[in-house]
């Protein structure tokens, strides 16, 4: 069964450093997403990406965050200057040719900012 | 932001019995609802969904009921199996228009099914 692949599974970074979280969505999917889950809290929407541009973003997704699809397969989330409160599980997801809300999530990257 | 709420943090059920997980929402613009299951160290996995034009959707052991007037939905699992033990998330969205698939999640309910 096709999977959304995220790397690394765990990243530790120092406060103020830049991090890039990587995702390989399911091939031929066109809609891409990042969500995050702070420990003990809800899964929260960050951003959706379609047709090579951000289509929707939450208030969490401020100027410190950016997304990119640098080639035909990867989808990245960059945090420019990490803060302690950015520590969370970050989930990438993708959806097919027709928008399907039951889309597929990756296993997540646990980001720890120290 | 408490637009989707799962008021029961946990539920414990005996194998073979029914599990009922509940979810309430406040945003009347939501018109599509989903349930996801999550195991530790994995991402959420889509289980079942329902559109606001329906009040019930069934898929094998899983049935989702929607009560629009009460802004309430529930997931029934019959019969429950130990492998169903996981965190269950309710999610909601507004379809159409400029929607690009944003989901709003509840806090999750930890289901434990005892053999």
């Amino acid at each position: 069964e096709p999977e959304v692949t995220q790397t690394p599974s765990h990243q530790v970074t120092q406060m103020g450093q830049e991090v890039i979280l990587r995702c390989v969505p399911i091939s031929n999917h066109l809609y891409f997403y990042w969500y995050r889950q702070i420990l003990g809290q809800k899964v929260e929407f960050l951003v959706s990406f379609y047709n090579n541009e951000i289509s929707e973003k939450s208030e969490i997704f401020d100027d410190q965050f950016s997304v990119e699809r640098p080639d035909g397969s990867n989808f990245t989330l960059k945090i420019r200057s990490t803060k302690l409160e950015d520590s969370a599980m970050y989930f990438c997801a993708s959806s097919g040719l027709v928008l399907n809300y039951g889309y597929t999530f990756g296993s997540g990257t646990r980001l720890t900012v120290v | 932001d408490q637009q989707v709420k799962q008021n029961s943090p946990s539920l414990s059920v005996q194998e073979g019995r029914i599990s009922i997980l509940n979810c309430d929402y406040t945003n009347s613009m939501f018109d599509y609802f989903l349930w996801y299951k999550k195991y530790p160290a994995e991402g959420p996995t889509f289980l079942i969904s329902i559109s606001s034009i329906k009040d019930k959707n069934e898929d094998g052991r899983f049935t989702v009921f929607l009560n629009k007037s009460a802004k309430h939905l529930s997931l029934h699992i019959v019969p429950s199996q130990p492998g169903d033990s996981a965190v269950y998330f309710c999610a909601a969205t507004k379809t159409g228009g400029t929607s690009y698939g944003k989901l709003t999640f509840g806090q999750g309910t930890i289901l434990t099914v005892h053999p």
Side-chain angles (χ1 to χ4, degrees), chain A residues 12-31:
Chain A
V12 181
T13 189
Q14 288 207 320
M15 193 169 54
Q17 294 295 303
E18 174 183 286
V19 293
I20 297 176
L21 309 184
R22 302 181 191 279
C23 171
V24 179
I26 295 171
S27 63
N28 85 355
H29 278 193
L30 296 181
Y31 298 85

Side-chain angles (χ1 to χ4, degrees), chain A residues 1-6 23-32 69 72-75 92-97 100 102-106:
Chain A
E1 189 167 325
E3 288 185 341
V4 173
T5 306
Q6 290 187 245
C23 171
V24 179
I26 295 171
S27 63
N28 85 355
H29 278 193
L30 296 181
Y31 298 85
F32 311 110
R69 189 154 162 79
S73 60
N74 290 286
F75 180 51
C92 173
S94 70
S95 180
L97 297 172
N100 169 16
Y103 41 72
T104 304
F105 282 84

Side-chain angles (χ1 to χ4, degrees), chain A residues 32-55:
Chain A
F32 311 110
Y33 310 90
W34 283 100
Y35 284 76
R36 78 172 186 190
Q37 186 181 25
I38 294 171
L39 188 62
Q41 298 187 22
K42 293 184 178 190
V43 176
E44 301 173 290
F45 170 81
L46 290 178
V47 65
S48 58
F49 190 87
Y50 171 69
N51 201 25
N52 284 319
E53 60 184 23
I54 290 174
S55 46

Side-chain angles (χ1 to χ4, degrees), chain B residues 80-95:
Chain B
S80 302
Q81 299 172 353
D84 296 330
S85 298
V87 181
Y88 287 78
F89 291 98
C90 169
T93 189
K94 177 172 69 72
T95 62

Side-chain angles (χ1 to χ4, degrees), chain A residues 62-80:
Chain A
D62 61 22
D63 292 344
Q64 292 298 313
F65 291 87
S66 62
V67 289
E68 201 176 35
R69 189 154 162 79
D71 52 42
S73 60
N74 290 286
F75 180 51
T76 61
L77 174 69
K78 183 194 291 187
I79 309 175
R80 242 177 292 282

